[in-house]
Amino acid sequence: MSQLYSKKIVGYATYCISTLAVVMSQMPRADAASMTFSATGTNPISGGSSTALSAKAVFDDSIAGKLTLTLTNTGPGASAPSDVLTGIFWDYAGSSLTNLTLSSAKAPTVIKNNLTTGTNVDLTKVGGNTVEWGFAKTTASTGLGGANGVANPVTQHYGIGTAGFGISPGFGLSGGQQFNYGIITGYDSPNPAVSGGTFVKDSATFVFSGLPTGFDLTKIQNIRFQYGTGLDEPSTYYIAPPPPPKRVPESSATVALGLFALGALRVAKKKPLVSA
């Protein structure tokens, strides 16, 4: 084998291995998964053409040590404040998520009166200092129970919201005690409060850090979607058995290894190993 040919093979191999290392460093964990929960219901006091309510939550643990939640309003347009999706609560069947904290909350689009007023909005610091969505957790057996006298108290142990709901412990909101920055798909004969409000369009994404070792996504359960500003307003539940987790597709490392092997084979075929 000539010295020049050897250098070509070594150089190609070095390049492929370096590329493979980059791909592997950026790929999701092999055991990562996502789970989708959805629920429907009705709002009897909605003033629009439809009284339907519908929402979806997707939990994902593909980022090591983090839990991503995408919360989506999938129902018709909002007519009254009680049509606005303002919170979600859940339980975890494993050990308590003591160190779980909300690290980011983003809205791709924010609208007011059907006009876009912002994109990629940070819901933890709207206007620089106003917290519009907050996170609360408790290990108490009564969960995040509602204030005295409030019907339908929250029993779940984890939740995020843009309204206070009178729960204790609270969400740490500095300006989000109303339905503003709740999630809607659009408008359906909106009353003045809704037509003058500011809302997240369709969905928002929340990222939590501090997942414990051995976190099991399939143990998320007891999902409650909350609408309006009080716990006596409409809420819907996912009460069926947890859906099977959707596994992350096979790692791109497999593809990179295949390309590496194919490239090396092509280089080897270009010139015989023994020169005359």
Side-chain angles (χ1 to χ4, degrees):
M1 183 185 298
S2 69
Q3 185 177 6
L4 178 60
Y5 180 61
S6 298
K7 288 182 177 179
K8 286 184 177 179
I9 291 182
V10 172
Y12 183 80
T14 301
Y15 169 77
C16 288
I17 292 173
S18 299
T19 302
L20 177 60
V22 172
V23 170
M24 292 183 69
S25 68
Q26 296 177 348
M27 72 182 184
R29 293 177 14 249
D31 61 342
S34 66
M35 294 183 69
T36 300
F37 300 86
S38 58
T40 60
T42 59
N43 179 12
I45 64 172
S46 176
S49 60
S50 172
T51 62
L53 298 174
S54 179
K56 178 177 69 174
V58 179
F59 290 87
D60 183 290
D61 66 347
S62 60
I63 303 175
K66 296 182 182 296
L67 177 65
T68 300
L69 164 61
T70 301
L71 180 60
T72 305
N73 188 333
T74 56
S79 170
S82 51
D83 291 324
V84 180
L85 180 61
T86 51
I88 180 174
F89 305 93
W90 70 93
D91 273 328
Y92 181 68
S95 58
S96 62
L97 305 177
T98 306
N99 297 321
L100 197 67
T101 58
L102 179 62
S103 57
S104 71
K106 296 286 187 180
T109 306
V110 170
I111 60 174
K112 182 173 183 177
N113 199 18
N114 256 337
L115 298 175
T116 298
T117 61
T119 57
N120 197 30
V121 175
D122 182 354
L123 297 174
T124 64
K125 293 182 179 179
V126 174
N129 56 14
T130 301
V131 178
E132 291 294 349
W133 279 78
F135 171 60
K137 62 180 182 291
T138 179
T139 56
S141 60
T142 56
L144 296 170
N148 293 335
V150 175
N152 200 20
V154 174
T155 60
Q156 290 83 352
H157 291 75
Y158 306 92
I160 55 173
T162 188
F165 303 122
I167 67 169
S168 178
F171 291 128
L173 304 174
S174 57
Q177 300 302 313
Q178 305 300 322
F179 60 85
N180 278 320
Y181 291 92
I183 305 172
I184 66 174
T185 57
Y187 301 88
D188 178 15
S189 302
N191 65 22
V194 172
S195 62
T198 301
F199 303 103
V200 173
K201 178 74 166 63
D202 296 330
S203 68
T205 299
F206 307 89
V207 179
F208 303 89
S209 58
L211 286 186
T213 302
F215 172 79
D216 185 352
L217 194 69
T218 64
K219 293 182 178 180
I220 292 176
Q221 59 186 21
N222 198 17
I223 308 296
R224 171 176 173 168
F225 299 95
Q226 182 64 50
Y227 297 80
T229 58
L231 298 180
D232 56 343
E233 295 190 80
S235 56
T236 58
Y237 298 82
Y238 185 97
I239 57 176
K246 181 180 179 182
R247 297 295 173 186
V248 171
E250 186 175 355
S251 167
S252 53
T254 303
V255 177
L257 284 171
L259 292 174
F260 170 69
L262 180 62
L265 180 62
R266 287 179 175 175
V267 170
K269 286 182 176 180
K270 286 184 177 179
K271 190 172 182 179
L273 294 179
V274 179
S275 57

